[in-house]
């Protein structure tokens, strides 16, 4: 029994070591585990409208993939993911004027999903931190 516990603990150490290697050195990169959490939130909350590959639906749901609107302002992206939005916007030259309801996410879910959309489908949108989310939510 003791040996099994030691073995499992060793696996745990190996797993953690593998994950931090190459990532911990760069604070600006989204960690694989954060990215996976963000993908989970996206696939359960956002995908119905913005679609699996982030292309949206012309005239109804704006794209997130390669969206000039999304990539122009990270704080605004946090605010939309948390509180939804309404009113006229122009995304990649197309006008949208509908409503996105608040999605009822926790701060951590907002954090992960924003980092997910900023870094998916070819987006190179950088990273937001929990402090950024809290500054907007509180
Ligand atoms: C019920 C459909 C729906 C869901 C679910 C939804 N959105 Fe939206 N989203 C919209 C609509 C509609 C707009 C445009 C609103 C307007 O015209 O003002 C929008 C706009 C946006 C925008 C700004 C425009 C752009 O394309 O860059 C972002 C960013 C965004 N949504 C992110 C998200 C994220 C992240 C989630 C999941 C947490 C999500 N949305 C869930 C419908 C939805």
């Amino acid at each position: 029994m003791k040996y099994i516990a030691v073995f499992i603990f060793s696996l745990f150490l190996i797993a953690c070591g593998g994950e931090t290697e190459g990532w911990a050195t760069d604070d600006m990169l989204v960690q694989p585990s954060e990215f996976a959490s963000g993908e989970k939130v996206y696939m359960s909350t956002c995908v119905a409208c913005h679609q699996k590959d982030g292309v949206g639906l012309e005239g109804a749901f704006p794209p997130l993939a390669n969206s000039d609107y999304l990539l122009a302002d990270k704080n605004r992206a946090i605010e939309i993911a948390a509180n939804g939005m309404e009113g006229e916007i122009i995304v990649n030259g197309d006008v949208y004027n509908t409503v996105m309801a608040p999605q009822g996410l926790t701060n951590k879910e907002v954090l992960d999903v924003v980092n997910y959309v900023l870094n998916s489908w070819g987006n190179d949108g950088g990273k937001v931190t929990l402090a950024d989310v809290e500054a907007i939510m509180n």
Side-chain angles (χ1 to χ4, degrees), residues 5-87:
V6 169
F7 177 67
I8 290 172
F9 185 59
S10 309
L11 279 183
F12 181 68
L13 286 182
I14 292 165
C16 291
E19 191 174 62
T20 44
E21 197 184 334
W23 293 91
T25 49
D26 189 345
D27 287 345
M28 290 317 289
L29 289 178
V30 177
Q31 308 250 346
S33 63
E34 296 171 321
F35 190 80
S37 311
E39 182 175 34
K40 227 186 237 172
V41 177
Y42 187 84
M43 289 306 177
S44 59
T45 311
C46 323
V47 72
C49 299
H50 295 287
Q51 305 299 305
K52 188 162 161 276
D53 43 8
V55 295
L57 195 65
E58 216 184 314
F61 308 124
L64 302 180
N66 195 27
S67 159
D68 57 357
Y69 188 89
L70 167 67
L71 296 171
D73 188 340
K74 291 199 266 268
N75 283 333
R76 183 172 63 190
I78 292 173
E79 203 165 313
I80 296 171
N83 302 325
M85 68 171 302
E86 59 181 280

Side-chain angles (χ1 to χ4, degrees), residues 18 20 24 36 44 54 56 61 63-64 69 72 74 79 83-84 89 92 94 96 99 110 123 125 129 135 137:
T20 44
S44 59
F61 308 124
L64 302 180
Y69 188 89
K74 291 199 266 268
E79 203 165 313
N83 302 325
I89 54 171
N92 297 345
D94 294 326
Y96 295 84
V99 177
V110 169
N123 286 351
T129 64
M137 300 304 289

